[in-house]
Amino acid sequence: MITVSAPGKCILFGEHAVVYGYPAIAIALNIRSYCIIEETNNENAAQFSIPDLGVDLNINLTKEMNSQFPVKYQQFYQGMNAMSEKYGITFEKVRFRLRSDLWIGAGLGSSASISIAFIQAINKWFSLNLTAEEINAYGFLMEKIVHGTPSGIDNTICSVGGAILFQKNSWNKLTLPKFPILVTYSGKSHQTESVIVTLGKNQDNLEKSFKKIKKIVEEGVHALNGRDFEQLGELCTKNQEILAKLGLSTPNIDQIITISKNNGAYGAKLTGAGAGGSVITLGKQKNLQKIQRLLQKKGYLSKICYMDFNGVKINSR
Ligand code: PMV
C-alpha cells in the first residue's frame, strides 16, 4: 500500500489573467489531498473509490473503461488511459482510494491536488520513474478535462509546493518565509470552467484589466522579496477591486473582505476563479484569529493556513 498526498493552493495575485498568458503568483497551502493505492485480489478490475463522496466503482478492464466512469470523474479515466497507452500498464488487482481535506470547488485547487496525488501514486506503484515534469504534464492533461482551458498554474503549484511565479507553463520558485493566510469559504462553490467561459465573453475590458493585474503581480514579487506584508495586503485589495469590476465577486465575498478590513487585516481578496469559492486575508496572526472568530459567528468556515514547502510527496509505503 502506498499513500501519496499533494497540497492545495491559493492564488495570491493574477487569477484569470494567467489563463491569457499573464503572470500570476500561487502559494501551496498546508491542506492536502490523498491517494491510497493498494493491491486487491479482484482479477481484471480496478477499484476506484472516493468514500467521502459515496463513490465506489469497480472498473472492469475487459469492458470499455471510459463508459464506466461517471462524467464527473472522467479526468481519472483519462489519466489512467494516457499512462496505460504510454507505459503498457494495466489497472487490475488494484484499488484507489481518494480523499481531500480541501473544500471542493472553492478556489483551492482541489481537482489539481487530487489529480497530482493520483498520478504520483500510479507512478510509484508501477515504478515508472516519472520526472516531476512528467507528473505535472499528466496533471495538466487531467485539469484540461475538468476545467477546459486551465493555465496550468494549479497542477504546477500542487506538484512543486512552496510559492511560484508562473507564466505560460514556465515558472520559478519564490523564496518566502512562513506567514499566516486566513482562508474563508464564501459558502458557494464554483465551476472554474464556466467562470472562465463567462468572463471570456466580456472581452472588451479584459486586456486592460489584465495589464493592471500584471503590474500588481510585479509589485507583489517585489513586496514578497522585501517581506513587506502590509504592501502585499494593499495589493490584494487592488487586485480584488479589478476582479470585482469583472463581475467575479459576490455579496458573501464582499462581506468577508469588509469584516477582514474592519478588523485590522492588511488586505483581502477572492482567490481562484471567483463567483463563489474562497477569500484570502493577510494580516498579523492575532488579527487573523480575531477575524476568523468574527467570520465563524457569521457562519463562514475559515482556516488559518501556511505555505506548504512540500509539493506532492509519499506519506507511507
Ligand atoms: O478556482 P480554481 O482553484 O480552479 O483556480 C482557477 C484559477 C484560474 O486562473 C481562474 C484558472 C487557471 O487555470 O489559472
Side-chain angles (χ1 to χ4, degrees):
M1 180 166 103
I2 304 176
T3 305
V4 177
S5 70
K9 65 96 218 288
C10 68
I11 294 185
L12 190 56
F13 305 115
E15 50 272 275
H16 286 290
V18 69
V19 175
Y20 293 77
Y22 291 88
I25 298 172
I27 299 181
L29 295 176
N30 60 337
I31 315 178
R32 295 191 151 247
S33 302
Y34 298 83
C35 177
I36 297 173
I37 185 166
E38 63 198 334
E39 197 170 343
T40 62
N41 42 25
N42 197 349
E43 297 274 354
N44 298 324
Q47 197 182 342
F48 176 88
S49 66
I50 314 177
D52 292 343
L53 300 180
V55 176
D56 196 6
L57 303 167
N58 253 317
I59 310 298
N60 187 333
L61 299 172
T62 56
K63 294 199 192 127
E64 178 55 33
M65 215 161 114
N66 189 7
S67 63
Q68 294 171 61
F69 256 88
V71 175
K72 227 174 146 187
Y73 305 109
Q74 272 297 312
Q75 79 267 29
F76 297 102
Y77 162 72
Q78 298 289 351
M80 286 162 97
N81 194 40
M83 292 174 96
S84 142
E85 272 178 12
K86 171 104 195 212
Y87 302 103
I89 50 178
T90 49
F91 294 96
E92 53 193 2
K93 285 181 149 189
V94 73
R95 177 154 92 127
F96 295 96
R97 265 185 294 153
L98 303 177
R99 94 175 160 80
S100 185
D101 289 339
L102 291 155
W103 304 316
I104 311 290
L108 303 179
S110 57
S111 67
S113 150
I114 210 145
S115 297
I116 291 292
F118 182 73
I119 296 295
Q120 176 66 305
I122 294 173
N123 176 36
K124 291 293 165 189
W125 188 258
F126 292 98
S127 304
L128 300 178
N129 292 324
L130 296 187
T131 62
E133 225 168 285
E134 284 166 329
I135 290 168
N136 195 17
Y138 281 113
F140 190 40
L141 180 144
M142 291 172 73
E143 278 289 275
K144 284 195 252 182
I145 316 284
V146 190
H147 295 320
T149 55
S151 61
I153 193 171
D154 282 14
N155 46 282
T156 303
I157 188 67
C158 296
S159 302
V160 302
I164 57 168
L165 174 65
F166 179 97
Q167 185 169 20
K168 288 186 189 157
N169 274 323
S170 72
W171 55 276
N172 48 286
K173 274 243 165 131
L174 299 168
T175 2
L176 301 187
K178 188 176 158 187
F179 65 98
I181 303 172
L182 178 67
V183 182
T184 307
Y185 183 46
S186 71
K188 183 175 169 263
S189 65
H190 62 213
Q191 253 236 321
T192 302
E193 181 173 11
S194 72
V195 182
I196 293 176
V197 170
T198 309
L199 185 67
K201 290 183 186 148
N202 192 9
Q203 284 295 349
D204 287 356
N205 301 327
L206 281 185
E207 291 297 324
K208 217 169 136 205
S209 303
F210 291 163
K211 282 189 183 134
K212 287 188 196 155
I213 291 176
K214 177 175 184 248
K215 199 154 173 281
I216 292 173
V217 172
E218 286 160 4
E219 287 171 14
V221 174
H222 204 250
L224 282 169
N225 287 337
R227 313 293 189 243
D228 187 345
F229 294 104
E230 285 183 46
Q231 169 69 359
L232 274 182
E234 279 165 32
L235 292 169
C236 280
T237 302
K238 273 196 189 170
N239 196 158
Q240 171 63 22
E241 281 164 10
I242 300 170
L243 295 169
K245 278 197 191 131
L246 291 173
L248 295 164
S249 204
T250 65
N252 284 3
I253 291 175
D254 293 344
Q255 185 182 41
I256 296 164
I257 292 172
T258 305
I259 292 174
S260 297
K261 286 206 227 149
N262 290 345
N263 290 283
Y266 295 144
K269 67 181 271 294
L270 69 83
T271 188
S278 301
V279 171
I280 49 168
T281 303
L282 302 187
K284 291 203 178 94
Q285 176 92 17
K286 74 170 181 4
N287 289 342
L288 295 186
Q289 282 165 343
K290 179 180 162 202
I291 295 165
Q292 183 181 28
R293 279 196 300 274
L294 293 170
L295 289 170
Q296 277 168 348
K297 273 193 194 151
K298 293 263 176 216
Y300 292 109
L301 286 173
S302 74
K303 194 171 163 47
I304 295 180
C305 298
Y306 297 91
M307 178 169 86
D308 195 326
F309 291 86
N310 292 307
V312 63
K313 67 176 187 193
I314 314 297
N315 290 62
S316 61
R317 60 185 313 160

